[in-house]
Amino acid sequence: MVALLLPLMTAAQADEVGRDGGHRHHPVQDQLLHEKFYSSWHMPDNPVLSCCNSADCYPTEVRYVDGRIYARRREDGKYILIPSQKVERNRDNPDGRNHLCAPPPSASLVDTVYCFALGGAT
């Protein structure tokens, strides 16, 4: 049922993902702001571990399905479930956008989320 609610990627979106790789979601004017935020961000459910860096973290789009948050993974456009324990609640994000830290789908057999920040004050 969830799959039916999620939009399909168009050929142009798929091409955009493949062409520009990791930095297509980091506008030039935001790169320093994002790098500063990501470099000091730690996992909400395990604060001794880093959320990674700008290679794994990026602004994203979200969908709500049955009260759950799904964030769009940049590499394949798939909306992945955000576990509630991975949602940042103790710090605002730098630009009011949603941010996801997750490995690419090729790096894990399951949809893994390191950290997630909901847009606006959290």
Side-chain angles (χ1 to χ4, degrees):
M1 176 81 169
V2 171
L4 296 175
L5 298 174
L6 300 178
L8 297 174
M9 285 180 57
T10 65
Q13 288 170 318
D15 186 46
E16 182 181 352
V17 169
R19 238 194 349 241
D20 193 13
H23 295 290
R24 74 178 187 89
H25 289 286
H26 292 282
V28 174
Q29 69 273 15
D30 293 341
Q31 283 184 350
L32 291 176
L33 181 67
H34 290 165
E35 287 177 18
K36 182 178 178 184
F37 176 67
Y38 299 149
S39 68
S40 62
W41 194 10
H42 290 84
M43 293 184 184
D45 60 333
N46 191 352
V48 298
L49 296 178
S50 171
C51 289
C52 286
N53 55 43
S54 60
D56 293 318
C57 300
Y58 45 89
T60 190
E61 299 170 12
V62 298
R63 300 274 189 256
Y64 294 90
V65 179
D66 295 329
R68 294 181 175 183
I69 302 170
Y70 289 78
R72 185 174 184 264
R73 186 169 49 205
R74 71 174 166 207
E75 291 85 4
D76 60 1
K78 179 182 178 184
Y79 281 80
I80 60 175
L81 177 65
I82 304 299
S84 62
Q85 70 270 20
K86 295 297 185 177
V87 177
E88 179 62 62
R89 300 184 195 291
N90 297 318
R91 145 180 208 203
D92 288 337
N93 63 44
D95 58 5
R97 296 170 70 189
N98 306 303
H99 289 264
L100 173 65
C101 295
S106 61
S108 178
L109 296 176
V110 297
D111 294 334
T112 302
V113 173
Y114 298 139
C115 301
F116 176 78
L118 194 59
T122 56

